[in-house]
Amino acid sequence: MIRLGLSGGIGAGKSTVAETFIARGGYHIDADKIAREVVEPGSEGLTKLVEAFGDDILAADGSLDRPALAAKAFVDEEQRQKLNGITHPLVGARTQQMLSEAPSDAIVVQDIPLLVEGNMAPFFHIVVIVGADEDLRVERLTTLRGMPEDDARARIRAQATDEQRRAVADVWLDNSGTPADLATAAAALWDERLVPFERNVRSRTVVRGPLTLADPDPEWAALGARTVNRLWAVVGDKASAVDHIGSTAVPGLAAKPTIDVQVTVADLDVADALADTLADGGFPRVAGIDGDRPKPDPATGSVDEGRWGKRFHASADPGRPINVHVRAAGSPGGEFAIDFRDWLRDDAAARAEYADVKRAALAGADGDLERYVEAKEPWFDDAYRRIAQWKRRESGR
């Protein structure tokens, strides 16, 4: 299965997207609904709330009087933490139960209003945010829900900003049009990206990016950061570092529009043990790539081929080409990946030179990725020597 995190600010139109996904077969987990369920009359949650805050938080019919609870729970941080300490574990347990009951081929749609505020984005295969500007959202809240304008604006501004939401959004669905427009966009996303994504994860199929050079894109840094955070969530403490590497990590450099990320682990046995974990997380292993091209040690001229091994994974998401290089800590390939990125960031002449090398390699590759990679290798061999010199100069400063 894949897990989709769906969110958006109040009045943005998230419910329209959720309804569209459900109609197309999505397995829906509604965080708000669960939060209400765990404090229903007779529940463990309601019992614990009464014990913590008193029986005057109950309505006449024995149900939770939410305004009365809010008057007690939101007076200070200590009381807020007391409330969260009761409800959050119950919501989490019910969510995990529903996840365990989902079909193995499900696209799980987790509808979470405070996904951004709760820093939950990295734990999903993909995050979809529904957005609309503040004035339009206020208009909807006042006309469709009868909410006073001051209240509507206060609620909007108490939530995450659009900038914060965009930082975690793999997909931004703009809802400045009609509900029908939004439903159409959501349906296209489901059919063209989400269904193939789930199928690829289940079948361990990777999606390789196009063999083309794109102009530098400021969004690469944001996508790299999201990918790093997601991989940390997938591999956890099995990694000692996760880094955005490659050309998309170098501002101002033309690049294939594919994000490269390096996961550093203790050794390749750990890398092998992570194969299924990464695949389940949306990054299946690519067969036949078990190492980098060995390069001679700049100091001795010797080549230790055994230290250049790696494991290579790539994204199963058809809308997001990503390469994941899993290398051992202290390996020359792992160190070179970081040093190469930092050298290009530091040296404008080397950056321009590499851009020319890539253009020439692309022109001669005739669309063949292996030929493109092979054509650059002699330059990489020389860059390995030059980077060693650059590091010595940097260390002497």
Side-chain angles (χ1 to χ4, degrees), residues 31-331:
D32 274 351
K33 182 179 179 181
I34 292 174
R36 292 191 296 271
E37 286 179 358
V38 300
V39 293
E40 287 178 344
S43 68
E44 175 191 359
L46 187 57
T47 299
K48 288 184 174 181
L49 287 178
V50 171
E51 291 173 353
F53 294 101
D55 57 12
D56 53 343
I57 65 169
L58 296 176
D61 62 359
S63 64
L64 178 65
D65 183 334
R66 293 181 181 277
L69 174 63
K72 290 191 168 189
F74 295 107
V75 293
D76 57 40
E77 187 61 24
E78 180 181 351
Q79 296 304 307
R80 186 194 302 267
Q81 290 299 324
K82 184 190 297 184
L83 171 64
N84 291 342
I86 293 170
T87 58
H88 286 188
L90 296 171
V91 170
R94 175 59 179 148
T95 300
Q96 287 303 314
Q97 179 186 357
M98 294 184 72
L99 283 169
S100 70
E101 295 169 352
S104 60
D105 61 348
I107 299 174
V108 178
V109 179
Q110 291 186 241
D111 191 336
I112 306 176
L114 299 181
L115 180 149
V116 178
E117 293 86 341
N119 299 312
M120 291 178 270
F123 299 98
F124 297 94
H125 290 83
I126 187 168
V127 170
V128 177
I129 301 290
V130 185
D133 68 43
E134 181 176 316
D135 288 341
L136 181 54
R137 291 162 64 192
V138 168
E139 180 183 348
R140 288 171 179 160
L141 293 170
T142 55
T143 59
L144 299 178
R145 301 193 195 179
M147 190 179 294
E149 180 176 340
D150 288 348
D151 189 15
R153 292 193 184 277
R155 294 196 186 197
I156 287 172
R157 291 170 184 174
Q159 295 182 334
T161 65
D162 278 355
E163 182 181 11
Q164 291 169 321
R165 291 194 179 97
R166 286 187 182 276
V168 305
D170 298 299
V171 179
W172 182 275
L173 289 177
D174 178 63
N175 189 21
S176 57
T178 67
D181 292 335
L182 181 61
T184 297
L189 172 64
W190 183 273
D191 294 341
E192 297 169 13
R193 184 168 177 180
L194 300 178
V195 170
F197 188 8
E198 186 283 322
R199 184 172 58 241
N200 289 346
V201 169
R202 195 158 26 93
S203 64
R204 303 302 200 237
T205 301
V206 302
V207 177
R208 304 300 296 272
L211 183 54
T212 184
L213 289 182
D215 290 334
D217 186 344
E219 287 299 312
W220 288 339
L223 179 51
R226 288 201 299 275
T227 304
V228 165
N229 290 338
R230 185 164 282 129
L231 282 164
W232 269 121
V234 170
V235 302
D237 61 5
K238 297 296 189 295
S240 58
V242 181
D243 297 283
H244 183 192
I245 59 170
S247 295
T248 59
V250 181
L253 180 61
K256 292 192 286 86
T258 298
I259 300 297
D260 283 271
V261 175
Q262 176 169 275
V263 176
T264 303
V265 296
D267 53 47
L268 293 183
D269 287 340
V270 176
D272 289 334
L274 283 172
D276 284 337
T277 300
L278 283 164
D280 290 341
F283 304 96
R285 184 171 172 180
V286 179
I289 302 179
D290 292 321
D292 300 301
R293 173 169 162 167
K295 296 173 175 54
D297 185 294
T300 66
S302 62
V303 178
D304 186 349
E305 296 188 6
R307 299 189 64 214
W308 286 84
K310 74 172 180 181
R311 301 296 180 259
F312 184 62
H313 295 247
S315 176
D317 181 357
R320 184 179 55 201
I322 294 169
N323 295 332
V324 181
H325 311 259
V326 188
R327 296 184 173 104
S331 66

